[in-house]
Amino acid sequence: MISFHLARADNGVIGRDGKLPWHLPADLRRFKAQTMGKPMVMGRKTFESFPSPLPGRRHIVLTRDREWTAPGAEVAHTPDEALALAGDGDISVIGGAEIFALLLDRADRIELTEVHLAPEGDAVVAAFMGWNEIAREDHPAEAERPAYSFVTLARK
């Protein structure tokens, strides 16, 4: 099963300057629980946004740069190569926007955190059309944290 894991604002923004434009500890915990022990496919910019590789997960980095390497990264240059490296079993695709676009037609499930605000950003993912919503858990705003919803989408 190939699943996407992302947080997306109501206006489509998923990032700004290589970072999330919000801080939602519950989203980070959910991401960790859903990706632990699984290979994660990501783009180079996503990998480089981490202070170090995330423990307990393989980091398969899809990049056009044939010279790029980094400690903790398994490098692939095509979507097929990335999926072959990941092997059989569950595969987590974690971004960024270009990687989601490249692999959308192969995804089985989307684990989405809808962040209910409209921040400025430079990385945007369009709404996922043509998917069935199979689960939703809404959370109200608290202090500086915006309202958000955990949503699971499955392919129709």
Side-chain angles (χ1 to χ4, degrees):
M1 160 134 57
I2 297 174
S3 58
F4 284 12
H5 300 267
L6 70 150
R8 181 184 173 278
D10 291 337
N11 64 351
V13 167
I14 64 167
R16 179 178 57 224
D17 299 326
K19 295 182 172 44
L20 296 174
W22 50 76
H23 180 67
L24 292 172
D27 174 54
L28 300 175
R29 286 190 299 274
R30 180 177 190 244
F31 174 84
K32 181 178 180 179
Q34 291 176 337
T35 61
M36 186 58 71
K38 298 178 181 144
M40 298 186 306
V41 175
M42 69 199 78
R44 178 191 50 79
K45 291 179 201 169
T46 297
F47 180 83
E48 290 177 346
S49 74
F50 300 143
S52 62
L54 303 176
R57 291 155 275 194
R58 290 174 53 211
H59 296 66
I60 299 169
V61 179
L62 184 52
T63 177
R64 290 182 290 267
D65 184 346
R66 298 264 172 197
E67 306 298 314
W68 187 86
T69 62
E74 300 173 52
V75 180
H77 301 293
T78 67
D80 287 337
E81 193 180 329
L83 296 176
L85 267 174
D88 294 333
D90 292 344
I91 300 169
S92 298
V93 177
I94 65 165
E98 287 184 56
I99 304 306
F100 291 131
L102 281 171
L103 292 171
L104 182 60
D105 63 334
R106 302 182 198 202
D108 301 297
R109 178 179 222 118
I110 299 170
E111 296 293 350
L112 176 65
T113 300
E114 293 177 343
V115 183
H116 302 302
L117 54 91
E120 297 279 322
D122 53 20
V124 176
V125 170
F128 295 103
M129 307 304 288
W131 290 77
N132 286 329
E133 182 176 311
I134 59 172
R136 174 177 289 271
E137 184 182 307
D138 296 321
H139 300 271
E142 280 184 34
E144 303 89 46
R145 292 194 185 111
Y148 60 96
S149 302
F150 292 147
V151 181
T152 300
L153 304 172
R155 187 171 289 289
K156 281 189 176 175

